[in-house]
Amino acid sequence: HSHNSGSPHQHILHRLHALQQQFRHISPHAMQRTAAEFNISLSQVAAVVAFYSFFSTQPRGRFDILFSNCTSCGYLSGDQDLMQMLCQLLQVTPGKTRADGLISISETSCIGMCDQGASLLINGLPVTALNAEKLTQIAQRITTESPLTDWPTEWFAVHDRIYRRDLLLMEQHAPGSALQTALAQGADQTLAVIQQSGLRGRGGAGFDTGKKWQLCRAAPGDAHYVVCNADEGEPGTFKDRLLLRDHTDAMVEGMTTCALVIGAKQGFVYLRGEYRYLLPHLHAVLDQRRNQGLLGQHILGYENFEFDIDIVVGAGAYICGEESALIESLEGKPGIPRIRPPFPVTHGYLGQPTIVNNVETFIAAAHIITHGSVWFYSIGTEQSRGTKILSISGDCEKPGIYEYPFGVCIRQVLDDCGAQNVQAVQIGGPAGKLLGAAEFNRAISFEDISTGGSFLVFDQQRNLLAIHRNFAHFFAHESCGFCTPCRVGTRLLKNNLDKIAEGRGTAHDIEELKQLSHLIQHQSHCGLGHTAAHHVLDGLQHFPHTFSAPLQPHFTAQFDLDQALESARQATHRNDAAAHLDNE
Ligand code: SF4
């Protein structure tokens, strides 16, 4: 067991979060001290600081604001204008800290508030339902340096709207209920129930959960680990925000049950930095369960059953949702995906057998143990048992959280959320699928359209090119930079779409888009790169007009070519027609 950066109680990310909060940046001196404290090199610390967008080496403002630039929380609700407005009110340039150190305002990727109207994070806390009036008041409070604790609490409220509940959201979990059943029937039978239920991972890839637990259990190692991936970063998804707050106990119980099956003593919840505001609540639930004898040593009085959980908070890197990148991050390193195989199930945290499942999967597992496999297996489709929780946002009357049996068709979902004149839906975030009306009879399932939960609606008024641009900017920003096809490819894709959108593109650029997309898709190292160009390929196939409409018939130069020849004309003392370019 390593004792430095991976040590649960003194995690390097937590040290850096604390430094960032206290000093608004991480100085060379602070890095040196951190390196000594964690017994690693200065360059390792510097690499971590550089990797995560929530850490900075230049001082941020005492009020540090991040506007979400997600298509849904940002673009669809006109966030760009709001950010400009606040910058003007406070006399600050986006991305810079004001000279007096009072305020800094930047953009960040989706913060999971897509159904709450335009939103921002201020010193890590979400402020939702932004409008001009609220921003004016915020600017006043910042100018007078009113501490956040004095601000109206309503500004920080996150109102969850759940429009459809099914298996999971209907449940009221009684602490200990699943564990009691699991302990009474034993680890073998508990694993068998998970296997019989047909449960598959809810993150989108859909690996068989029972099989994963079985492989991990069988894998030799000094220790086994359970990790909950609470790093939901797929832009447009926000259901974990609700699950982490209202179904926390079931999630922890699912993890504890998994620990029983695979023989783990230590677990982690890897919480996305954007959800840091949920930390006090999560700690309270863990403490309560320790007091109830449901975590720690001798769980429910069993001599040999010991398991506890630490929470590690991420720092604004979407790639850490990829399970091997998440494990790197847990180990206190930059979140660069590992080469797989070997998979985490045999070589995960500290090289030991590790289960990584997401929040929804652990909650489902807990309820399956309580209710039995048939309760779950009898809902859904052949390959996709149970239900899926969707985060719906964009152009619809009722943005919010919906739980459906797998197999629900897209048209049904659109009807339920009050979407009209729908042009397209993007399912599964920017890495997912863009579908037009001809495909609204397709189904949410692993057999057909798989999703981690993001469901974005675009009506006929939307310019899809702006959406593609937003997605391309997202990937160019979130590419971890490890491999060239993705690092360079996502940037070229972004430049290319910018060029077309700005009216400088020609037919040649469409060819370029296609080639680039295929290259990124096939040559990248991890899932981010493999999927980063999907939206472009879908768009070119189903909405070719999006890309062709703004094209120019000819290459148009950005400067006056004829004027550029003036010096040559002067040098040769010529100014006849042949010394000029043809003006057609
Ligand atoms: Fe990093 Fe992109 Fe390569 Fe994945 S595909 S390893 S995100 S650069």
Short mmCIF file of all heavy atoms in Angstrom, two decimals, residues 319 336-337 478-484 486-487 490 524-530, ligand 1:
data_model
loop_
_atom_site.label_atom_id
_atom_site.label_comp_id
_atom_site.label_asym_id
_atom_site.label_seq_id
_atom_site.Cartn_x
_atom_site.Cartn_y
_atom_site.Cartn_z
N ILE A 319 -11.92 14.30 -18.44
CA ILE A 319 -11.31 13.01 -18.77
C ILE A 319 -11.31 12.08 -17.56
O ILE A 319 -11.26 10.86 -17.70
CB ILE A 319 -9.89 13.19 -19.36
CG1 ILE A 319 -9.33 11.87 -19.91
CG2 ILE A 319 -8.94 13.80 -18.35
CD1 ILE A 319 -10.13 11.23 -21.01
N ILE A 336 -4.46 10.98 -16.79
CA ILE A 336 -4.20 10.51 -18.16
C ILE A 336 -4.59 9.04 -18.25
O ILE A 336 -4.14 8.22 -17.44
CB ILE A 336 -2.72 10.70 -18.53
CG1 ILE A 336 -2.42 12.21 -18.59
CG2 ILE A 336 -2.38 10.03 -19.86
CD1 ILE A 336 -0.96 12.55 -18.70
N PRO A 337 -5.46 8.69 -19.21
CA PRO A 337 -5.93 7.30 -19.30
C PRO A 337 -4.78 6.30 -19.47
O PRO A 337 -3.80 6.60 -20.13
CB PRO A 337 -6.81 7.30 -20.55
CG PRO A 337 -7.21 8.72 -20.73
CD PRO A 337 -6.06 9.55 -20.24
N GLU A 478 -10.98 19.76 -23.40
CA GLU A 478 -10.90 18.64 -22.45
C GLU A 478 -9.96 17.52 -22.88
O GLU A 478 -9.70 16.61 -22.11
CB GLU A 478 -12.30 18.06 -22.20
CG GLU A 478 -13.26 19.04 -21.49
CD GLU A 478 -12.80 19.41 -20.07
OE1 GLU A 478 -11.95 18.68 -19.50
OE2 GLU A 478 -13.28 20.43 -19.55
N SER A 479 -9.47 17.54 -24.11
CA SER A 479 -8.47 16.55 -24.50
C SER A 479 -7.31 16.63 -23.51
O SER A 479 -6.82 17.71 -23.22
CB SER A 479 -7.96 16.88 -25.92
OG SER A 479 -6.77 16.14 -26.16
N CYS A 480 -6.89 15.47 -23.00
CA CYS A 480 -5.87 15.51 -21.94
C CYS A 480 -4.49 15.79 -22.52
O CYS A 480 -3.55 16.05 -21.79
CB CYS A 480 -5.88 14.22 -21.14
SG CYS A 480 -4.91 12.88 -21.84
N GLY A 481 -4.35 15.71 -23.84
CA GLY A 481 -3.09 16.10 -24.46
C GLY A 481 -2.08 14.98 -24.58
O GLY A 481 -0.98 15.19 -25.11
N PHE A 482 -2.44 13.80 -24.14
CA PHE A 482 -1.48 12.70 -24.11
C PHE A 482 -1.13 12.19 -25.51
O PHE A 482 0.02 11.91 -25.81
CB PHE A 482 -2.04 11.56 -23.24
CG PHE A 482 -1.24 10.30 -23.29
CD1 PHE A 482 -0.02 10.23 -22.64
CD2 PHE A 482 -1.71 9.20 -23.97
CE1 PHE A 482 0.73 9.06 -22.67
CE2 PHE A 482 -0.97 8.03 -24.01
CZ PHE A 482 0.25 7.96 -23.35
N CYS A 483 -2.14 12.05 -26.36
CA CYS A 483 -1.84 11.51 -27.70
C CYS A 483 -2.13 12.54 -28.79
O CYS A 483 -3.05 13.35 -28.68
CB CYS A 483 -2.59 10.20 -27.95
SG CYS A 483 -4.36 10.35 -28.09
N THR A 484 -1.33 12.50 -29.84
CA THR A 484 -1.37 13.54 -30.87
C THR A 484 -2.67 13.56 -31.68
O THR A 484 -3.20 14.63 -31.92
CB THR A 484 -0.17 13.36 -31.83
OG1 THR A 484 0.99 13.17 -31.01
CG2 THR A 484 0.03 14.57 -32.70
N CYS A 486 -5.66 13.05 -30.94
CA CYS A 486 -6.72 13.73 -30.21
C CYS A 486 -6.32 15.17 -29.87
O CYS A 486 -7.09 16.10 -30.09
CB CYS A 486 -7.07 12.93 -28.96
SG CYS A 486 -8.16 13.78 -27.81
N ARG A 487 -5.11 15.34 -29.35
CA ARG A 487 -4.69 16.69 -28.94
C ARG A 487 -4.74 17.66 -30.12
O ARG A 487 -5.33 18.73 -30.05
CB ARG A 487 -3.27 16.66 -28.36
CG ARG A 487 -2.82 18.01 -27.82
CD ARG A 487 -1.37 17.98 -27.35
NE ARG A 487 -0.43 17.69 -28.42
CZ ARG A 487 0.34 16.62 -28.49
NH1 ARG A 487 0.32 15.73 -27.51
NH2 ARG A 487 1.15 16.41 -29.51
N THR A 490 -8.53 17.41 -32.27
CA THR A 490 -9.68 18.14 -31.73
C THR A 490 -9.51 19.64 -31.95
O THR A 490 -10.48 20.36 -32.17
CB THR A 490 -9.89 17.85 -30.24
OG1 THR A 490 -8.66 18.10 -29.53
CG2 THR A 490 -10.32 16.41 -30.00
N SER A 524 -6.96 7.64 -31.93
CA SER A 524 -6.78 8.16 -30.57
C SER A 524 -6.56 7.03 -29.56
O SER A 524 -6.90 5.88 -29.82
CB SER A 524 -7.98 8.99 -30.16
OG SER A 524 -8.04 10.16 -30.93
N HIS A 525 -6.05 7.43 -28.42
CA HIS A 525 -5.67 6.46 -27.39
C HIS A 525 -6.86 6.02 -26.53
O HIS A 525 -6.92 4.89 -26.07
CB HIS A 525 -4.58 7.11 -26.51
CG HIS A 525 -4.24 6.37 -25.26
ND1 HIS A 525 -3.67 5.11 -25.28
CD2 HIS A 525 -4.39 6.69 -23.96
CE1 HIS A 525 -3.48 4.70 -24.04
NE2 HIS A 525 -3.90 5.65 -23.22
N CYS A 526 -7.80 6.91 -26.27
CA CYS A 526 -8.88 6.53 -25.34
C CYS A 526 -10.24 6.94 -25.86
O CYS A 526 -10.38 7.52 -26.93
CB CYS A 526 -8.64 7.13 -23.95
SG CYS A 526 -9.28 8.81 -23.75
N GLY A 527 -11.25 6.64 -25.07
CA GLY A 527 -12.64 6.86 -25.45
C GLY A 527 -12.96 8.30 -25.79
O GLY A 527 -13.82 8.56 -26.63
N LEU A 528 -12.30 9.24 -25.14
CA LEU A 528 -12.60 10.65 -25.44
C LEU A 528 -12.31 10.93 -26.91
O LEU A 528 -13.14 11.47 -27.63
CB LEU A 528 -11.79 11.58 -24.54
CG LEU A 528 -12.11 13.07 -24.67
CD1 LEU A 528 -11.97 13.80 -23.33
CD2 LEU A 528 -11.26 13.77 -25.72
N GLY A 529 -11.13 10.52 -27.34
CA GLY A 529 -10.77 10.73 -28.74
C GLY A 529 -11.64 9.91 -29.69
O GLY A 529 -12.08 10.41 -30.73
N HIS A 530 -11.92 8.67 -29.31
CA HIS A 530 -12.72 7.80 -30.19
C HIS A 530 -14.08 8.41 -30.49
O HIS A 530 -14.66 8.17 -31.54
CB HIS A 530 -12.93 6.43 -29.54
CG HIS A 530 -11.65 5.67 -29.36
ND1 HIS A 530 -11.48 4.71 -28.38
CD2 HIS A 530 -10.47 5.75 -30.01
CE1 HIS A 530 -10.25 4.24 -28.45
NE2 HIS A 530 -9.61 4.85 -29.42
FE1 SF4 B 1 -5.95 12.14 -23.86
FE2 SF4 B 1 -7.51 12.49 -26.02
FE3 SF4 B 1 -5.53 10.79 -26.14
FE4 SF4 B 1 -7.66 10.24 -24.59
S1 SF4 B 1 -7.65 10.37 -26.82
S2 SF4 B 1 -5.51 9.94 -24.07
S3 SF4 B 1 -8.17 12.34 -23.91
S4 SF4 B 1 -5.33 13.03 -25.81
#
